[in-house]
Amino acid sequence: GLEVGYGLIPLVDKNQGGQLLSRIKGVRKKVSQDLGFLIPTVHIRDNLDLGPNSYRISVLGVPMGEAELQPSREMAINPGSVSGEVKGQATRDPAFGLEAVWIEPSQRDYAQTLGYTVVDASTVAATHLSQIIQTHAHELLGHEEVQKLLDMLARGQPKLVEELVPNTLPLSTVVRVLQNLLEERIPIRDMRTIVETLTEHGQSSKDPNNLTAAVREALGRMIVQNVAGMSREVPVITLDPNLEQVLLNTVQGGGDGAAGFEPGLADRLQRSLSETAQRQEAAGQPAVLLTAPQLRGWLSRLTRHSVSGLSVLSYNEVPDEKQVKIVASIGQQQVAQGQ
C-alpha cells in the first residue's frame, strides 16, 4: 500500500500531469520480471493524518517506510563521488539513505556536471517502493502465488510438477523454500531447476533449510553472476580456518547456532565483516563472504541486517569455471580484539 498526504495528490493524479502511477506500474512490472513472480497490486490512497508532503509504504498492512517529498523540486543524490556542492535543502534519499539535496529544477544540469544523480519526486517515491518490495518479497509470496507458478510450469512439464507436489513434498514446504530464496534476494525465475532439485532432494529430506541449500547449489551459477557479474574471478572474504572451526563447533552443537556462543563474538564478527565489506565496496568490488556450507545459512542470518551489501556464499555454490580470489581473511585475532 502507498498512502500520500494531500500535498502529493497531484503526483498521483494523471489529470494534473502526475507521473507516480505510471512509475509504480513500471516498478511492479520490473520487480515481477526480476524476481520471477507477480507482485500484488499496489493500493494507493490519500491519508489526511500524514503531513501534506509525506508518504507511507506498507506491506501486508504494516508500515515499512515513510518519507517526505518536495513535489516542485528535484533530488540531487550524492553517489559518494561528487566534485562540489550544490545549493538546496539537505536530505537523505529514502531508498538507500544516501546524502542528497532538494534543488530547484533549474539547477539540474549543474548538479549533474558535479556528479550528482538527479531525479524528480515521483522517481524518489517509486525507487523507495521498489526497494521495499524487493526487501519484503518473501512476505508477498504465499501458497496461491506458488500454486500459480507450479501451474504455469505444469503446462509444459506436467509430470515434473506432479512428482513434486504432493508426491514428494507438501506445497507448504515448497512455499517456505521459495520464501527463503527471496529473503536472500535470489530470483525464483528458474522454476524448472528449483522443482527438479526439490524433487531429487525431497526424497531424503523434508527440512526447508536443507532443501534451500540444495536449490542454492543448483542455482549457483546465477547467484554468483548476480553478485560478481561476468568476470571469471570472484573476489571473496574468507574466515580463518581456526575461526571457522570454532563457529562450526558452536553451530553444530547449539542447533540454531545461538546457544553456546560467546556473547561478544557475534558482535565483533559483524563489525569485522562490516569494515571489510565497506573496503570492498569503496574499491568498487562486490563484498562476498565465502564459507563452509554448514555455516552459510547461519552467517547469512547474522549479517543480513547489520552488514549491508554482503553476500554470503558457500564453497559448493561457486561454479567450477569461476576462480576465487581471496581479498581478505578474518581471523580469530581480529575478532578477539574487536578490530
Side-chain angles (χ1 to χ4, degrees), residues 32-38 141-157 160-162 164-165 169 171 173-179 181-182 186-200 215 218-219 222:
S32 295
Q33 284 171 343
D34 288 351
L35 295 180
F37 77 101
L38 188 62
L141 182 86
H143 283 63
E144 201 175 317
E145 289 77 13
V146 173
Q147 189 59 60
K148 279 182 189 158
L149 292 173
L150 292 173
D151 292 345
M152 273 166 61
L153 184 62
R155 282 180 215 152
Q157 312 211 353
L160 177 62
V161 174
E162 205 177 291
L164 177 64
V165 177
L169 293 170
L171 182 62
T173 305
V174 179
V175 172
R176 186 66 244 163
V177 170
L178 294 176
Q179 287 171 338
L181 293 170
L182 288 170
I186 294 168
I188 54 173
R189 290 190 301 260
D190 187 358
M191 278 301 286
R192 179 183 160 181
T193 299
I194 292 170
V195 169
E196 283 174 349
T197 309
L198 289 176
T199 304
E200 181 190 337
V215 171
L219 298 175
M222 177 194 73

Side-chain angles (χ1 to χ4, degrees), residues 31 68 71 117 144 160 181 226 228 230 267 296 308:
V31 176
E68 214 169 276
T117 304
E144 201 175 317
L160 177 62
L181 293 170
N226 282 356
M230 298 292 286
D267 286 345
R296 198 213 67 80
S308 66

Side-chain angles (χ1 to χ4, degrees), residues 61-227:
V62 180
M64 292 295 173
E66 201 167 65
E68 214 169 276
L69 298 176
Q70 296 199 8
S72 60
R73 291 183 163 200
E74 302 198 341
M75 184 182 274
I77 300 166
N78 178 355
S81 53
V82 295
S83 58
E85 285 188 15
V86 63
K87 277 201 191 88
Q89 187 184 331
T91 182
R92 281 194 179 274
D93 145 55
F96 303 103
L98 296 170
E99 287 182 3
V101 185
W102 285 112
I103 60 169
E104 295 298 331
S106 57
Q107 297 259 80
R108 167 186 272 263
D109 292 347
Y110 174 61
Q112 285 176 330
T113 59
L114 293 177
Y116 286 89
T117 304
V118 185
V119 291
D120 62 19
S122 291
T123 304
V124 173
T127 306
H128 193 189
L129 179 73
S130 169
Q131 197 257 341
I132 284 179
I133 291 174
Q134 289 179 63
T135 306
H136 295 276
H138 59 289
E139 296 170 42
L140 299 170
L141 182 86
H143 283 63
E144 201 175 317
E145 289 77 13
V146 173
Q147 189 59 60
K148 279 182 189 158
L149 292 173
L150 292 173
D151 292 345
M152 273 166 61
L153 184 62
R155 282 180 215 152
Q157 312 211 353
K159 283 277 177 281
L160 177 62
V161 174
E162 205 177 291
E163 198 184 335
L164 177 64
V165 177
N167 294 357
T168 307
L169 293 170
L171 182 62
S172 56
T173 305
V174 179
V175 172
R176 186 66 244 163
V177 170
L178 294 176
Q179 287 171 338
N180 286 348
L181 293 170
L182 288 170
E183 196 166 4
E184 296 205 56
R185 301 276 179 114
I186 294 168
I188 54 173
R189 290 190 301 260
D190 187 358
M191 278 301 286
R192 179 183 160 181
T193 299
I194 292 170
V195 169
E196 283 174 349
T197 309
L198 289 176
T199 304
E200 181 190 337
H201 290 267
Q203 312 287 348
S204 53
S205 172
K206 306 286 185 242
D207 178 324
N209 291 335
N210 294 344
L211 292 168
T212 303
V215 171
R216 283 184 60 106
E217 285 175 28
L219 298 175
R221 184 171 279 113
M222 177 194 73
I223 292 173
V224 172
Q225 195 166 319
N226 282 356
V227 170

